[in-house]
Amino acid sequence: MALSVKTGAYFFGCEGAVLNKSEASFFRDSAPLGFILFSRNLENPDQIRRLTSELREAVGCDAMILIDQEGGRVERMGEPHWSSWMPPLDQVRRVTQNHGLEAAARSMYLRYQVIAAELLSVGIDVNCAPCADIAHADTHPVLLNRCYGEDLETVVKISRSVSQAHLDAGALPVMKHMPGHGRATLDSHHKLPNVSASDTALRSNDFAAFTALNDLPLGMSAHIVYEALNQKGPATTSREMINLIRNDIGFSGLLMTDDISMNALSGDVGERSAASLAAGCDVILHCNGDGPEMQQIASVAGVMGDAAYKRAEQAMALRSQGAAVDISASMDELKTLL
């Protein structure tokens, strides 16, 4: 079943590994665009299949179900049921040193082909990757080894390979964190990062990575302030920065916020959501499964606008264009590169 015209402008999480009756009722009434899962929701393949099925049944459509499965430190699904991975930056560096950048891009394609296939097998069809942020000498540790490189060419090439791996398998990639989080020296889960780099440095390097990838279907904003651009508030709630993402970077896909409950943002979740949508974000991402917060967001955000609705439909249609992945063959080739 297709999206409803009443689909809400938000992605929500749920509390645990089983969808309870009150959650199912709330999701049925609020009709979120999709859901995001975390370790608290994941026990084994059969349980995840039941949960993803129940979530879609609650909203009456083939809703998108998201996860952060980067591999390495951000790995919601791991052994013994699924593959486990080294941090992305470590893999890119190792293969580049031994075989060159082309081989590193191939290795990351194979890695995310396997990840996409494992996600799809349990009903998860959207992965919050690639991380197209360029690493710098002072990048905060919360992000550093999740990046793919320290130069524009490497980050763009690897990000394109990661994205294509998902799309070829029939999963959707989410490009993050727009328009670039690599210069942040604070963890935006806890504090608001302020970046002092010049306009020229940002546009020729950090922002340029996202410009090269602006055709991807889904993107995620950054909770960050770029001082040289005189923005009003973090990028997520700044009309100036969302306009930059749309017009200068040229991103035309569905733009979601980073987790709206992160402490980089001020105000309660309702105020943050209203500010994000007013700035030009398409949908709100809320991750912690807190019922009262989700109710507040639903009441503030309402249904998707026409442009957001069209972008969501265009992205979701790409899921049907994937092909089956031979996990064993991909892993064998990847092992030779590693």
Side-chain angles (χ1 to χ4, degrees):
M1 182 176 174
L3 289 174
S4 163
V5 293
K6 296 182 179 180
T7 299
Y10 32 77
F11 292 100
F12 285 152
C14 56
E15 191 173 42
V18 177
L19 186 65
N20 64 51
K21 290 182 179 180
S22 63
E23 288 176 324
S25 177
F26 169 67
F27 293 150
R28 190 173 300 111
D29 293 339
S30 61
L33 174 59
F35 304 93
I36 184 164
L37 301 182
F38 284 81
S39 298
R40 67 178 184 270
N41 308 121
L42 311 171
E43 293 179 347
N44 59 67
D46 288 340
Q47 171 268 324
I48 301 174
R49 291 188 194 99
R50 285 193 299 271
L51 179 59
T52 55
S53 178
E54 289 170 357
L55 289 167
R56 291 187 169 111
E57 183 180 349
V59 294
C61 71
D62 189 18
M64 290 185 276
I65 298 183
L66 288 62
I67 195 170
D68 283 302
Q69 186 71 356
E70 299 173 6
R73 189 160 42 79
V74 180
E75 190 171 272
R76 314 303 185 197
M77 296 162 52
E79 296 176 337
H81 300 294
W82 304 281
S83 304
S84 192
W85 308 91
M86 69 176 69
L89 186 58
D90 293 355
Q91 178 172 323
V92 173
R93 284 174 169 170
R94 176 185 294 188
V95 180
T96 300
Q97 182 178 6
N98 292 332
H99 304 289
L101 181 56
E102 289 291 338
R106 176 62 179 171
S107 79
M108 291 291 276
Y109 178 90
L110 295 166
R111 168 190 176 121
Y112 285 95
Q113 277 262 283
V114 173
I115 287 174
E118 292 182 338
L119 296 180
L120 289 166
S121 73
V122 293
I124 300 170
D125 55 12
V126 183
N127 192 14
C128 296
C131 183
D133 304 309
I134 296 176
H136 296 272
D138 55 355
T139 299
H140 192 279
V142 76
L143 181 66
L144 179 60
N145 67 1
R146 299 163 56 196
C147 298
Y148 303 149
E150 298 170 306
D151 64 274
L152 179 63
E153 179 188 5
T154 297
V155 170
V156 169
K157 191 171 191 64
I158 301 299
S159 295
R160 177 64 69 182
S161 190
V162 169
S163 301
Q164 198 60 51
H166 287 92
L167 291 167
D168 288 348
L172 300 180
V174 180
M175 176 170 60
K176 60 188 186 186
H177 304 81
M178 301 180 73
H181 210 297
R183 294 182 189 266
T185 59
L186 297 176
D187 180 356
S188 58
H189 292 86
H190 304 293
K191 296 180 180 179
L192 176 62
N194 283 262
V195 169
S196 60
S198 70
D199 182 293
T200 300
L202 290 167
R203 292 179 185 272
S204 64
N205 193 54
D206 303 72
F207 299 173
F210 293 93
T211 302
L213 301 162
N214 64 12
D215 59 315
L216 293 178
L218 301 170
M220 180 185 293
S221 70
H223 300 334
I224 191 169
V225 170
Y226 308 91
E227 296 172 357
L229 300 178
N230 299 314
Q231 68 192 82
K232 296 179 176 65
T236 297
T237 58
S238 168
R239 180 175 292 276
E240 295 84 358
M241 295 309 299
I242 303 304
N243 285 341
L244 182 146
I245 289 170
R246 291 300 190 195
N247 300 324
D248 297 2
I249 288 175
F251 178 68
S252 59
L254 186 79
L255 181 63
M256 67 186 75
T257 70
D258 202 347
D259 183 7
I260 206 70
S261 62
M262 290 164 63
N263 290 331
L265 303 178
S266 60
D268 61 32
V269 292
E271 293 167 334
R272 298 172 183 184
S273 298
S276 300
L277 294 171
C281 291
D282 289 318
V283 291
I284 305 302
L285 177 64
H286 180 265
C287 297
N288 64 25
D290 180 273
E293 288 191 358
M294 291 190 290
Q295 291 171 8
Q296 186 179 9
I297 292 167
S299 67
V300 167
V303 300
M304 287 191 297
D306 291 343
Y309 186 94
K310 183 177 180 180
R311 290 170 183 142
E313 284 203 315
Q314 290 173 337
M316 293 169 71
L318 296 174
R319 299 176 299 180
S320 64
Q321 299 179 19
V325 175
D326 186 333
I327 292 179
S328 178
S330 294
M331 290 296 282
D332 285 345
E333 183 181 350
L334 178 57
K335 287 175 183 176
T336 66
L337 293 172
L338 292 175

